[in-house]
Amino acid sequence: MRTSVVIVGAGPAGLLLGQLLHKAGIDNIILEQRSGDYVLGRIRAGVLEQVSVDLLEEAGAAERMHAEGLPHDGIELLFGGKRHRINLHELTGGKRVMVYGQTEVTRDLMEVRAKAGLTTVYEAQKVQPHDFETDAPRVTYEKDGVQHTIECDFIAGCDGFHGICRASAPKDKIKTFEKVYPFGWLGLLSDTPPVSEELIYAHTERGFALCSQRSQTRSRYYLQVPLTEKVEDWSDERFWEELKLRLDPEARERLVTGPSLEKSIAPLRSFVTEPMRFGRMFLAGDAAHIVPPTGAKGLNLAASDVGYLYTGLKQYYQSGSSEGIDAYSERCLRRIWNAERFSWWMTSLMHKFPDMNDFDVKVQEAELGYIVRSQAGSTSLAENYVGLPLL
Ligand code: APR
Ligand code: PHB
């Protein structure tokens, strides 16, 4: 078998890349180790920057997002028991974010890929990239006990944090940067109307909380919890009680509770791999970097990597120039480090760290006060939150 680009991983990064390449006439095969249902069962963040919206449009997968997604012009910061609105729209000269779940993005991309008749091999086992430092890379895998080889021009490692592509990069050519946070987020999804029209990021003495949403009738809430917590110890009742304790009186009053559809604990991590290209293999999305979810940057970074990779590959196939693919790693990393900085900063600002003393809490509160009172402070938050322009 032969194709132009083998994409490893059918998460949002791999599916988006596959669709964009297809639109540009570049054939590709996606190898995914899990089933389609498993991929769709993962619940992740749900805030899209304009850059991501634009790429989904270009991929022809934006119809349902425009019909059902919720454009948001602001977010709320809750601290000292009060909520303060950050007007993203005004502060950024008319930008906004789109609230639309990653699961739905993935479903839409899967659908357009299936409609286009493109190959995705689900439940591909032992996927392994080879010879990517030569001009003849290939990828091997097993399906139903049969060994397959695909010869290709390029390999795109869109296989997430635990994927095989980064793990296959030569150890002496790769450097990683990492920060692990001493807490996790316990998330709950429920068919209840969101407590507020906009997202609430809450700084409280009991720890951080986030009120997010998927639609007018589906909510997503998070609580900061110690990493030692077990999800089995969190009944729905216990979750709702704790969330109420972290809200202001009005929101507490308005909160509609209900049975959970999903509940899980995710650790928080900052992680970057440099470089993101190894010969004819490129890393994109979570395969190359992780951000803590506080700034909602994970999916958006994956999308912008894919945007750069697609542009570079299109240029290569259409004009023979390797300028775009040569610049890929550097272009991505500039954007990634900005988002890493922002996500780390927002995480540090909003959470209760185990080693913090009263002084540290006062400093967090002073900074939050500065952000909401100062045009410069709130603009800095707003322009990072809606996403910095592509460089
Ligand atoms: N072989 C084939 N597929 C693999 C392998 C492997 N060895 N290892 C992992 N995969 C698959 C996973 O099963 C998964 O479906 O690669 C896919 C990677 O998808 P994601 O983890 O969703 O990563 P990505 O597409 O980069 O999306 C980034 O996900 O975690 C969030 O915050 C993050 O929103 C961001 C988005
Ligand atoms: C979510 O809706 O899951 C979500 C929203 C904003 C974040 C993180 C997660 O910062």
Side-chain angles (χ1 to χ4, degrees):
M1 233 188 313
R2 178 172 176 90
T3 190
S4 299
V5 183
V6 172
I7 300 170
V8 184
L15 288 165
L16 180 60
L17 179 64
Q19 209 54 29
L20 291 168
L21 291 176
H22 167 68
K23 290 248 159 181
I26 303 164
D27 57 314
N28 60 84
I29 294 176
I30 300 186
L31 302 177
E32 164 62 53
Q33 71 179 357
R34 306 284 192 170
S35 68
D37 283 347
Y38 180 94
V39 172
L40 285 177
R42 290 191 291 235
I43 310 287
R44 280 158 174 187
V47 178
L48 301 179
E49 296 174 11
Q50 190 60 44
V51 173
S52 308
V53 169
D54 292 347
L55 284 167
L56 287 166
E57 276 170 10
E58 198 166 344
E63 212 176 295
R64 202 161 62 93
M65 174 190 67
H66 282 304
E68 296 175 18
L70 305 168
H72 278 206
D73 287 351
I75 55 170
E76 292 187 288
L77 295 182
L78 163 53
F79 60 95
K82 288 202 186 69
R83 274 191 269 160
H84 307 261
R85 181 164 192 259
I86 302 289
N87 190 330
L88 300 173
H89 193 66
E90 263 177 22
L91 290 163
T92 60
K95 294 188 186 162
R96 46 171 62 98
V97 291
M98 173 73 90
V99 172
Y100 187 64
Q102 180 175 320
T103 313
E104 302 314 311
V105 171
T106 309
R107 192 190 310 279
D108 296 346
L109 286 164
M110 272 180 172
E111 249 165 49
V112 288
R113 186 167 179 89
K115 256 195 209 139
L118 306 177
T119 310
T120 310
V121 182
Y122 283 99
E123 297 176 320
Q125 304 305 312
K126 299 189 187 161
V127 174
Q128 182 62 55
H130 303 274
D131 302 335
F132 45 84
E133 295 197 287
T134 74
D135 284 341
R138 56 200 169 89
V139 181
T140 53
Y141 67 98
E142 260 180 50
K143 171 84 183 171
D144 302 327
V146 183
Q147 172 92 17
H148 300 267
T149 300
I150 313 179
E151 283 156 13
C152 57
D153 301 328
F154 298 102
I155 300 169
C158 301
D159 48 350
F161 184 62
H162 302 286
I164 186 65
C165 291
R166 190 182 72 249
S168 304
K171 299 282 170 285
D172 58 334
K173 291 189 181 158
I174 189 166
K175 182 161 169 55
T176 57
F177 303 81
E178 184 167 34
K179 187 171 186 69
V180 176
Y181 300 86
F183 40 74
W185 277 19
L186 168 64
L188 179 147
L189 187 71
S190 63
D191 273 333
T192 54
V195 65
S196 177
E197 253 170 60
E198 295 179 335
L199 272 60
I200 304 174
Y201 288 84
H203 174 276
T204 83
E205 56 188 29
R206 300 182 68 87
F208 171 77
L210 170 60
C211 304
S212 184
Q213 52 190 265
R214 292 289 175 272
S215 69
Q216 316 274 16
T217 55
R218 184 168 284 191
S219 301
R220 179 74 167 158
Y221 296 104
Y222 296 96
L223 295 173
Q224 174 191 349
V225 294
L227 281 169
T228 45
E229 288 296 314
K230 301 261 170 297
V231 71
E232 308 81 77
D233 295 334
W234 283 85
S235 64
D236 292 356
E237 291 66 30
R238 181 175 174 206
F239 184 98
W240 294 120
E241 282 315 307
E242 183 60 35
L243 179 60
K244 281 185 188 161
L245 293 173
R246 298 187 193 188
L247 295 179
D248 58 291
E250 192 209 332
R252 192 176 304 140
E253 192 65 29
R254 279 197 57 176
L255 181 73
V256 181
T257 64
S260 62
L261 303 171
E262 193 261 3
K263 235 177 351 211
S264 52
I265 296 180
L268 270 70
R269 181 194 300 271
S270 297
F271 175 88
V272 182
T273 302
E274 293 190 2
M276 290 168 60
R277 176 192 182 178
F278 303 90
R280 284 174 171 263
M281 180 171 79
F282 302 88
L283 304 179
D286 277 16
H289 43 77
I290 297 288
V291 283
T294 324
K297 291 287 166 240
L299 176 56
N300 294 300
L301 276 186
S304 53
D305 291 353
V306 163
Y308 289 129
L309 184 53
Y310 151 68
T311 308
L313 289 171
K314 190 166 71 165
Q315 190 183 24
Y316 176 86
Y317 282 102
Q318 290 180 351
S319 71
S321 162
S322 62
E323 187 272 328
I325 52 179
D326 291 343
Y328 171 73
S329 187
E330 206 189 312
R331 276 189 190 142
C332 288
L333 284 163
R334 261 201 309 246
R335 189 173 174 75
I336 289 159
W337 277 113
N338 273 305
E340 290 285 346
R341 201 273 322 157
F342 175 64
S343 308
W344 159 82
W345 170 77
M346 209 164 154
T347 304
S348 312
L349 177 68
M350 300 301 300
H351 290 77
K352 183 173 178 174
F353 286 71
D355 61 354
M356 266 173 46
N357 62 22
D358 293 350
F359 178 89
D360 301 317
V361 176
K362 284 285 185 192
V363 169
Q364 279 183 330
E365 286 172 353
E367 186 164 7
L368 283 159
Y370 168 71
I371 288 164
V372 300
R373 277 192 306 274
S374 146
Q375 177 91 359
S378 44
T379 304
S380 169
L381 169 59
E383 71 180 4
N384 279 281
Y385 194 86
V386 301
L388 296 175
L390 285 177
L391 294 171

